Amino acid sequence: KNSTLSILKTEGDLQATLQTDHGSYVFSGRADRIDQFGGLIRVIDYKTGHVDNNNLKVPVHHHDENVLDYLKLIPEKALQLLLYKYMYLKENQALSPNQVSGTIHGLKYANNIEFGLYQEAAKSNGADVDFLGDESFISDMEAMLEAVVTEMLDTNIPFVQAEDNKKCGYCDFRMICKR
């Protein structure tokens, strides 16, 4: 394996457009670093606080679970990395999902600073769906994103304030809701 580290981009803007029945929607983000190491492209986010492997565990998707309910089970840091990976793949369509990883570098750790996404093990009883795998990654991400857009546009579903007040500090609508 090639163990040369090549930094491809720092503070890299990422963007993807999702076409839905409701219109066209642009998703964007900014990765702290994008590099290539050992033949793998890593889309990296730096974190100065605590990083727990459980924050990067992508749960198993069950047959009886709709994609929106499944999306709500994904920890925030894992979802962020999945979105970064999705956007990078949309910008670089010649790559396959197994060539790109979403990674967090925990800056407060002296030894193991790299934390990557990992999939929870599926049960062999047939109740689990192969979801977010290499073959279906793009279509699965788009199904989840479309479900979010559809819910946001549904006038029968009210907006609710975040349960965690810490999130309000980053919200563009904090002046409107006056929380």
Side-chain angles (χ1 to χ4, degrees):
K1 261 189 173 180
N2 181 0
S3 60
T4 303
L5 173 67
S6 299
I7 296 178
L8 304 176
K9 197 185 287 189
T10 57
E11 293 294 320
D13 290 326
L14 299 167
Q15 184 173 314
T17 301
L18 178 69
Q19 301 294 335
T20 73
D21 294 339
H22 307 290
S24 178
Y25 298 89
V26 176
F27 293 85
S28 62
R30 176 172 291 163
D32 291 319
R33 185 173 97 200
I34 300 169
D35 68 26
Q36 187 166 12
F37 181 71
L40 184 68
I41 293 174
R42 303 181 307 176
V43 183
I44 299 170
D45 187 54
Y46 296 134
K47 297 288 185 202
T48 56
H50 178 73
V51 180
D52 185 331
N53 278 328
N54 286 329
N55 295 334
L56 300 172
K57 180 169 59 175
V58 178
V60 170
H61 186 300
H62 304 292
H63 280 289
D64 59 352
E65 209 168 38
N66 72 46
V67 292
L68 193 56
D69 289 338
Y70 173 72
L71 171 79
K72 292 174 183 177
L73 297 175
I74 300 173
E76 288 177 29
K77 288 178 178 141
L79 183 58
Q80 177 187 7
L81 295 180
L82 288 169
L83 286 165
Y84 283 179
K85 178 177 177 173
Y86 167 75
M87 290 184 283
Y88 190 83
L89 286 165
K90 290 296 280 188
E91 290 179 351
N92 299 276
Q93 294 188 13
L95 297 172
S96 64
N98 66 348
Q99 294 176 289
V100 178
S101 73
T103 305
I104 286 179
H105 279 193
L107 300 179
K108 76 179 233 174
Y109 301 96
N111 296 330
N112 182 17
I113 67 163
E114 187 167 303
F115 299 85
L117 288 168
Y118 68 97
Q119 186 87 32
E120 185 177 19
K123 294 188 175 62
S124 59
N125 63 5
D128 299 331
V129 178
D130 181 23
F131 204 74
L132 296 172
D134 289 336
E135 297 297 318
S136 64
F137 182 81
I138 296 291
S139 60
D140 291 343
M141 285 297 296
E142 289 177 346
M144 287 193 300
L145 293 171
E146 186 165 3
V148 170
V149 168
T150 299
E151 182 180 74
M152 288 173 61
L153 296 175
D154 187 340
T155 57
N156 295 315
I157 300 175
F159 282 105
V160 293
Q161 291 178 323
E163 292 176 17
D164 182 357
N165 288 348
K166 293 177 191 168
K167 294 181 181 180
C168 298
Y170 301 102
C171 180
D172 292 335
F173 303 102
R174 65 183 170 273
M175 298 306 288
I176 296 171
C177 87
K178 299 184 189 307
R179 189 161 186 189

